[in-house]
């Protein structure tokens, strides 16, 4: 059986991995130059506890199931994950009943150890939290993860188990050829399949609506973020939410697994599903609202800004299951808590597809992924041992993040390896530090050109059309 997955975000890559537990040929088509180029690279990286989702929804079910899988998966696939806990903060006595409702909702969803703390209790744990805070809901099972690191780990393991990844493949037509359902890409290539799994994110409705009579409607919900330098890492240890609204979970102050602090996201519905621009107004909103939580936040610590687009379904819930048109399975409308829910969604979808088609188990499936070495996290003894094996690990390329040439070469050569600067950044953190690549970019470009066998003028930031240089000066 041949299965084609459209979209290589965290859902598409997780589904590819889980489907390879069965005897099926799996191909993943991604319109961008790499995996994790959409929502999966631009989100808060929070592993939600599950108290926010409405009981009885798919969001609630898969959130709690997904959360429970992260300890095992992070060990199995070698991606960074930490259970740092989360607070939902209340800024007035009048709003405190909302915390009680969230607590009750969390209990109904099966979330454990939820507690309501006073403002004084919160500030004992988080000393920078505003004096305005009167109370908060404490959720110790909440965590943080590198969203792109998790996606890349899923993709690598799927590829090792036989899944094929095709990047630069924008699907613009789907049709039946009499026997198969066929995905046709903008470059003219065609991919016949027995089943198409639609994991196209904000474009999930576009893929469904090409062929299916029952139309879907996905709205791109834009969220702008600010990232603070590691010197500001002490501002928060737990994830700090404000009370949620109908547009989402509000502005967060959230630590990252790499030691930074992130502020955001805003929430605004937009017509352009590919517009990831930041705006002065949006960033000002993110910063000013975040300062309500932590008044001592300093703009001088901001090192970059970015925008993510969430796929909001008009139903308000995930849309998962076989579509009305033959041979398509939809996994769409996967907004927050989609990252948390991804492991459970992928497992359930693969099981449902396998049962429907009578797929047998793949006895050769390899669940473990060997994580790449991280020079910055090693002891001196470990570093010396690694350099003795490969001298390239003794050459620092990115000073801000202590990334070596050996790590960059490994990131290119690994399964579903990096092809551009952003791909190197997501895999190694080269260019993610205080100088944002000001020092290391030329050297990373040279390594990419050497390893890919191309001229440095062909090296891109994130695929065709984003070349860094135009030629050589004679």
């Amino acid at each position: 059986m041949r299965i084609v997955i459209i979209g290589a975000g965290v859902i598409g890559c997780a589904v590819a991995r889980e489907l390879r537990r069965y005897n099926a040929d799996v191909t993943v088509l991604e319109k961008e130059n790499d995996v994790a180029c959409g929502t999966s690279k631009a989100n808060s990286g929070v592993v939600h506890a599950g108290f926010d989702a409405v009981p009885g929804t798919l969001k609630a079910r898969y959130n709690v199931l997904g959360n429970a899988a992260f300890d095992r998966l992070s060990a199995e696939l070698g991606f960074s994950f930490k259970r740092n806990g989360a607070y939902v903060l209340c800024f007035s006595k009048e709003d405190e009943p909302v915390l009680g409702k969230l607590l009750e909702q969390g209990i109904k969803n099966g979330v454990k150890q939820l507690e309501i703390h006073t403002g004084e209790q919160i500030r004992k744990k988080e000393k920078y939290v505003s004096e305005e805070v009167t109370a908060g809901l404490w959720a110790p099972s909440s965590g943080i993860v590198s969203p792109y690191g998790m996606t890349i780990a899923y993709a690598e393991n799927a590829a090792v188990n036989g899944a094929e990844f095709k990047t630069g493949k924008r699907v613009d037509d789907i049709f039946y050829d009499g026997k198969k359902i066929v995905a046709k890409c903008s470059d003219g290539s065609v991919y016949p399949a027995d089943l198409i799994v639609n994991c196209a994110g904000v474009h999930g409705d576009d893929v469904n609506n090409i062929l299916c009579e029952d139309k879907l409607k996905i709205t791109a919900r834009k969220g702008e973020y600010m990232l603070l330098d590691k010197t500001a890492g002490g501002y928060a240890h737990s994830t700090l939410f404000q009370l949620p609204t109908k547009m989402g979970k509000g502005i967060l102050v959230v630590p990252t697994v790499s030691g930074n602090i992130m502020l955001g996201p805003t929430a605004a519905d937009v017509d352009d599903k590919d517009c990831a621009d930041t705006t002065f107004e949006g960033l000002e909103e993110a910063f000013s609202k975040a300062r309500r939580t932590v008044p001592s936040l300093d703009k001088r610590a901001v090192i970059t800004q970015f925008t993510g687009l969430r796929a909001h379904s008009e139903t308000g819930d995930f849309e998962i299951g076989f579509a009305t048109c033959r041979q398509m399975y939809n996994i769409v409308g996967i907004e927050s808590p989609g990252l948390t829910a991804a492991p459970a969604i992928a497992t359930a979808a693969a099981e449902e597809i396998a049962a429907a088609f009578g797929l047998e188990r793949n006895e050769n499936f390899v669940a473990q992924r060997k994580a790449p070495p991280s020079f910055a996290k090693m002891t001196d003894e470990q570093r010396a041992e690694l350099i003795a094996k490969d001298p390239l690990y003794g050459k620092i390329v990115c000073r801000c993040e202590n990334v070596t040439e050996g790590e960059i070469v490994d990131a290119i050569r690994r399964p579903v390896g990096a092809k551009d600067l952003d791909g190197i950044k997501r895999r190694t953190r080269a260019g993610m530090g205080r100088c944002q690549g000001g020092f290391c970019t030329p050297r990373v470009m040279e390594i990419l050109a050497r390893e890919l066998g191309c001229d440095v003028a062909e090296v891109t930031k994130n695929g065709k059309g984003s070349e860094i240089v135009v030629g050589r000066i004679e």
Side-chain angles (χ1 to χ4, degrees), residues 288-330:
S288 62
K289 289 185 176 179
R291 285 195 71 182
R292 191 181 185 202
T293 297
V294 179
S296 51
L297 289 171
D298 189 341
K299 266 191 182 177
R300 290 175 295 182
V302 176
I303 58 175
T304 192
Q305 308 90 24
F306 62 93
T307 290
L309 297 168
R310 289 103 80 185
H312 177 69
S313 168
E314 63 180 354
T315 68
D317 200 2
F318 299 156
E319 307 260 0
I320 301 172
F322 285 98
T324 54
C325 52
R326 291 176 294 133
Q327 298 166 278
M328 185 181 291
Y329 190 96
N330 281 328

Side-chain angles (χ1 to χ4, degrees), residues 219-238:
T219 300
R221 183 159 287 172
K222 180 179 180 179
E224 298 184 49
Y225 293 86
M226 304 177 95
L227 185 71
L228 276 58
D229 189 28
K230 291 180 180 179
T231 56
Y235 278 131
H237 303 286
S238 312

Side-chain angles (χ1 to χ4, degrees), residues 66-296:
N67 178 293
F70 268 79
D71 297 285
R72 171 183 60 81
L73 278 172
S74 63
E76 205 167 78
L77 295 178
F79 60 79
S80 298
F81 166 67
K82 180 181 179 181
R83 288 199 188 275
N84 64 321
Y87 273 113
V88 180
L89 303 177
C90 186
F91 292 82
S92 71
K93 292 286 186 182
E94 291 75 19
D95 288 336
E96 287 183 14
V98 179
L99 296 179
K101 291 179 181 178
L102 288 174
L103 174 64
E104 292 173 10
Q105 191 165 267
I107 292 170
K108 286 181 181 178
N109 289 342
V111 183
K112 308 294 186 184
Q113 298 177 302
L114 294 174
E115 298 175 353
I116 293 179
H117 290 179
T118 65
E120 289 74 19
Q121 286 176 301
I122 295 166
R123 281 181 287 273
K124 284 181 180 178
K125 290 173 65 72
E126 299 289 347
K127 66 179 181 178
Y128 292 103
V129 162
S130 170
E131 291 292 333
E132 284 186 65
V133 171
T134 62
L137 178 65
W138 170 241
S141 62
S142 182
I144 49 176
V145 68
S146 167
Y148 40 86
M150 175 180 168
T151 304
I152 290 164
Y154 263 123
E156 286 187 6
N157 188 249
V160 165
N161 280 292
E164 190 173 12
F165 285 78
K166 300 283 187 179
T167 57
K169 298 291 183 180
R170 180 188 292 271
V171 175
D172 58 11
D173 193 19
I174 299 172
F175 60 90
Y176 297 114
D177 69 356
K179 294 182 180 179
K180 304 278 188 180
I181 188 170
V182 181
K184 182 180 179 181
C185 299
S186 54
D187 63 1
S189 58
V190 293
Y191 294 88
D194 298 294
L195 179 71
I196 285 178
V197 182
N198 176 11
C199 303
V202 292
H203 292 283
D205 57 344
D206 302 326
V207 169
N208 174 86
N209 296 350
I210 291 173
L211 208 57
C212 296
E213 291 183 7
D214 283 2
K215 305 302 181 185
L216 300 178
K217 173 63 175 174
I218 299 296
T219 300
R221 183 159 287 172
K222 180 179 180 179
E224 298 184 49
Y225 293 86
M226 304 177 95
L227 185 71
L228 276 58
D229 189 28
K230 291 180 180 179
T231 56
Y235 278 131
H237 303 286
S238 312
T239 300
L240 304 177
F241 293 93
Q242 297 173 2
L243 286 177
T245 70
K246 65 178 181 179
M247 292 294 284
K249 296 177 174 68
I251 300 296
L252 286 69
V253 177
V254 54
T256 72
V257 289
S258 300
N260 302 84
I261 291 288
M262 193 156 34
L263 315 177
T266 56
D269 292 345
V270 295
D271 295 327
D272 187 347
K273 293 182 177 181
D274 295 310
C275 179
D277 296 344
T278 55
T279 65
F280 175 80
E281 295 78 12
L283 295 172
E284 281 295 300
E285 178 189 349
F287 189 79
S288 62
K289 289 185 176 179
R291 285 195 71 182
R292 191 181 185 202
T293 297
V294 179
S296 51

Side-chain angles (χ1 to χ4, degrees), residues 292-403:
R292 191 181 185 202
T293 297
V294 179
S296 51
L297 289 171
D298 189 341
K299 266 191 182 177
R300 290 175 295 182
V302 176
I303 58 175
T304 192
Q305 308 90 24
F306 62 93
T307 290
L309 297 168
R310 289 103 80 185
H312 177 69
S313 168
E314 63 180 354
T315 68
D317 200 2
F318 299 156
E319 307 260 0
I320 301 172
F322 285 98
T324 54
C325 52
R326 291 176 294 133
Q327 298 166 278
M328 185 181 291
Y329 190 96
N330 281 328
I331 309 178
V332 300
I334 310 299
E335 59 183 343
S336 181
L339 180 69
T340 310
I345 290 173
T347 298
E351 288 175 351
E352 185 176 9
I353 290 167
F357 288 90
L359 301 181
E360 295 182 355
R361 282 275 177 179
N362 174 11
E363 299 300 329
N364 298 316
F365 181 80
V366 178
Q368 207 77 22
R369 170 218 182 215
K370 185 178 180 181
S374 175
F375 194 79
K377 297 177 181 178
M378 291 179 172
T379 64
D380 288 343
E381 291 76 14
Q382 290 171 326
R383 290 174 175 177
E385 184 179 348
L386 188 60
I387 293 168
K389 292 179 181 177
D390 186 346
L392 291 183
Y393 286 95
K395 298 180 179 181
I396 297 291
V397 174
C398 174
R399 294 181 181 180
C400 295
E401 295 290 327
N402 276 337
V403 180

